[in-house]
Amino acid sequence: MKETVAIIGAGMGGLSAAITLAAAGFGVTVIEAAQEPGGKLRQVSSGGRLLDAGPTVLTMKWVFDDLLSRCGTSLADEIGLDKCDVIGRHYWQGGQQLDLFADVAESRRAVADFAGAREAAGFQRFAEDSARVYQLLERSFIDASRPNPISLSARIGLHRPNALLALKPFSALWPTLESYFSDRRLIQLFGRYATYCGSSPYLAPATLMLVAHVEQAGVWTVKGGMHALARRMADIARDFGVEFHFDEKVASIDKDGSGKAVRGVTTDRERHIPAQNVIYNGDVAALSHLLGDAPSPRGGQQRSLSALVACGVASPTGVPLSHHTVFFSENYGEEFDAVFGRSLPPDDPTVYVCAQDRPAQRDGSSAVGSGAAERIYCLMNMPANGDSHGYSKSEVDRCLSSMERRLRRNGLRLDLDRQTTAITTPDRFAKLYPGTGGALYGMASHGWMASFSRPAARGPLGGLYLAGGSVHPGPGVPMAALSGKIAAERLMADMALHGRSRRGAITGGMRMRSATADVSPSR
């Protein structure tokens, strides 16, 4: 009989943990409140068409290749991928445009044409330093059990002070960018990387400049959309015997007689699933409720960004879109002061547009044909106040109007039908992801200690482990996948340490997939 692990949540962290454990011979049961896998990798319908309504960017492909190598496969063998040539198109007032490319030299030429040779030289230094920061942190922090400042220093090497200083540990992102660029548009562009973890560029640490290297190392689009990635990973997990229960919510994590260890979970169908180990793949803000404990204080940490996401079908005109396009506001500081300082929607938001029918290549033409209606995803930053504020129709209309106004000022005409557009506001996100208030990235990464403040893989009870974007190593699709792998590896290491055998585990930690498994990339 196999050792059984219960996993709460079929988001990316839960799927990664399930694959890691099942490939090592464990029995795994995943309980998911939604009707399908993916968590934040969700889909909505508008105008009779399906659109991704969550993360739209796939980076750090090595994370998934490493995970799937345990199953004798790779990401490209399982799903169709297209590498982006244009990793991002950016517009400012009046249609000023700058594209960034996967090739650093080409991006430098584009920056030179846009802002001059001095700014291009600053970009080259920035690209080199962001690569250095990433290389220092990839194995010492990102793909490791959560370190503290001392252990991180030891991993990098206390005898390498210059390497430690290269991380700019005590600097905020925005002023650090001012040492590379004098053009405020470029500072605004690269400062936007703070929003990738739901934070303000004025308060987030300079280490987030590593995002530039992550993108330059490769951005991919997934055939069938990002939700297809979650479905495929769930299929792989099933091939290894993982059992899924969808449309069923975990009501409690059950404790043993001592109150110090888990003994399984109970669902809203009053079904008890016994397990000596549980992995919780949800926001840690909701964990105390499942444990029957009083909510724990956040220690002054601020919630990360929420969003208003509008997904619909439209025929955009004006400046050409790429797959990923950003339309910057005129006053970036005011935007973040509104969201984080006053907990209000910004009057002049920066708007991210994902044209889901367009390839991320140079021409950017729509796959459905010029002038035809295409699937459009629009996002503006919002405060994570969804558990204390319900957004009325008039408030939503004002937000949509402010988005449309910014798009027009930057050269794009986009008329989404408000009757058919699928709109998600912070209060809706709060219901989708309990305990968050609509925050999409856990706690904000503000201050130099923020990265060390996220919970580690071990939970507060024996046999309880944590995964997802609110724990180490942080938010984002590849990071959540890493968190699931780290949680599963921590679980297995703890079992080995305590001498508990995995009854039924497969020798060597590798199982053969079912002979009837369909591994077609088109699936």
Side-chain angles (χ1 to χ4, degrees):
M1 185 175 179
K2 295 178 187 176
E3 182 83 36
T4 298
V5 178
I7 297 179
I8 304 170
M12 189 52 64
L15 293 170
S16 174
I19 289 172
T20 301
L21 290 167
F26 285 79
V28 180
T29 299
V30 180
I31 308 99
E32 167 58 52
Q35 296 180 351
E36 54 190 354
K40 292 185 176 73
L41 288 175
R42 63 193 188 99
Q43 280 186 322
V44 296
S45 176
S46 177
R49 300 169 72 179
L50 291 174
L51 296 90
D52 277 335
T56 60
V57 176
L58 180 66
T59 58
M60 297 172 68
K61 178 174 168 286
W62 65 265
V63 171
F64 300 94
D65 287 333
D66 177 67
L67 174 67
L68 296 180
S69 68
R70 302 163 187 252
C71 307
T73 186
S74 68
L75 188 61
D77 287 337
E78 297 295 333
I79 199 162
L81 298 170
D82 288 317
K83 191 171 184 179
C84 300
D85 177 22
V86 180
I87 60 176
R89 177 163 293 169
H90 310 86
Y91 287 108
W92 289 265
Q93 185 98 351
Q96 305 166 73
Q97 177 187 342
L98 173 62
D99 287 358
L100 291 181
F101 300 91
D103 180 79
V104 173
E106 194 164 4
S107 288
R108 175 173 176 161
R109 286 192 292 271
V111 170
D113 292 342
F114 178 74
R118 182 177 177 180
E119 299 300 291
F123 170 77
Q124 185 68 43
R125 288 191 296 111
F126 174 72
E128 292 168 356
D129 287 352
S130 68
R132 186 176 301 112
V133 170
Y134 177 83
Q135 289 156 6
L136 284 169
L137 291 178
E138 181 185 71
R139 299 300 176 183
S140 63
F141 183 86
I142 295 171
D143 190 21
S145 296
R146 191 196 71 176
N148 56 45
I150 295 174
S151 64
L152 177 62
S153 298
R155 289 176 186 177
I156 293 175
L158 291 170
H159 60 287
R160 300 167 62 200
N162 290 337
L164 293 172
L165 290 174
L167 297 177
K168 306 179 191 298
F170 306 113
S171 302
L173 180 59
W174 189 274
T176 298
L177 292 171
E178 291 178 323
S179 69
Y180 295 98
F181 307 106
S182 58
D183 191 308
R184 305 299 285 182
R185 296 170 300 179
L186 295 177
I187 299 171
Q188 189 178 31
L189 190 164
F190 295 110
R192 186 173 177 273
Y193 289 148
T195 67
Y196 286 28
C197 63
S199 304
S200 163
Y202 302 94
L203 300 172
T207 47
L208 288 177
M209 61 193 289
L210 65 82
V211 176
H213 178 71
V214 168
E215 290 193 332
Q216 288 156 6
V219 175
W220 283 264
T221 57
V222 179
K223 291 182 179 177
M226 290 290 286
H227 183 68
L229 172 62
R231 292 198 309 269
R232 191 71 199 112
M233 288 185 66
D235 287 342
I236 293 169
R238 287 191 188 94
D239 291 342
F240 279 80
V242 175
E243 182 179 338
F244 286 89
H245 296 276
F246 293 109
D247 200 21
E248 187 168 3
K249 184 183 297 184
V250 170
S252 67
I253 297 172
D254 303 328
K255 304 174 186 178
D256 67 4
S258 72
K260 297 179 180 179
V262 300
R263 64 177 182 88
V265 301
T266 298
T267 75
D268 58 356
R269 299 181 186 178
E270 299 184 354
R271 185 161 64 94
H272 175 68
I273 300 173
Q276 291 183 303
N277 293 283
V278 174
I279 294 180
Y280 171 68
N281 175 217
D283 198 287
V284 293
L287 184 59
S288 58
H289 171 73
L290 294 180
L291 293 174
D293 300 331
S296 57
R298 293 197 299 269
Q301 286 183 281
Q302 190 172 27
R303 285 173 172 170
S304 64
L305 291 169
S306 188
L308 184 150
V309 175
C311 295
V313 178
S315 301
T317 57
V319 295
L321 292 172
S322 185
H323 189 84
H324 303 293
T325 310
V326 180
F327 295 81
F328 282 108
S329 64
E330 284 295 284
N331 190 334
Y332 218 36
E334 171 60 25
E335 178 176 348
F336 288 96
D337 182 62
V339 173
F340 285 114
R342 304 193 303 275
S343 196
L344 293 172
D347 291 329
D348 181 18
T350 293
V351 183
Y352 165 67
V353 176
C354 180
Q356 297 186 16
D357 294 309
R358 294 180 184 243
Q361 308 303 329
R362 294 170 193 277
D363 64 3
S365 58
S366 173
V368 297
S370 178
E374 52 185 298
R375 297 176 300 157
I376 299 292
Y377 165 118
C378 296
L379 178 149
M380 64 178 278
N381 295 324
M382 295 283 279
N385 60 355
D387 52 354
S388 60
H389 180 77
Y391 283 81
S392 66
K393 182 180 183 301
S394 61
E395 286 179 291
V396 173
D397 283 341
R398 282 198 298 273
C399 289
L400 293 173
S401 294
S402 68
M403 291 171 70
E404 291 169 353
R405 186 165 54 249
R406 172 45 53 198
L407 293 176
R408 286 196 300 272
R409 287 174 177 171
N410 291 19
L412 183 74
R413 181 82 182 189
L414 183 65
D415 295 316
L416 288 170
D417 182 351
R418 297 188 185 182
Q419 299 303 312
T420 60
T421 297
I423 299 169
T424 312
T425 49
D427 50 345
R428 174 59 179 154
F429 281 122
K431 292 177 181 176
L432 286 170
Y433 313 119
T436 65
L440 298 176
Y441 312 87
M443 294 295 114
S445 296
H446 291 164
W448 74 275
M449 277 295 292
S451 296
F452 301 108
S453 300
R454 290 183 180 273
R458 278 202 189 104
L461 296 177
L464 178 60
Y465 300 85
L466 310 177
S470 66
V471 304
H472 176 78
V477 176
M479 296 295 206
L482 280 173
S483 78
K485 184 204 74 164
I486 291 169
E489 290 178 340
R490 181 72 271 165
L491 184 159
M492 291 188 285
D494 286 349
M495 289 184 67
L497 181 66
H498 293 96
R500 290 165 59 191
S501 64
R502 298 196 312 271
R503 292 173 294 175
I506 303 301
T507 302
M510 178 66 72
R511 290 177 64 186
M512 294 299 293
R513 298 175 70 177
S514 166
T516 60
D518 179 0
V519 296
S520 166
S522 64
R523 184 171 167 187

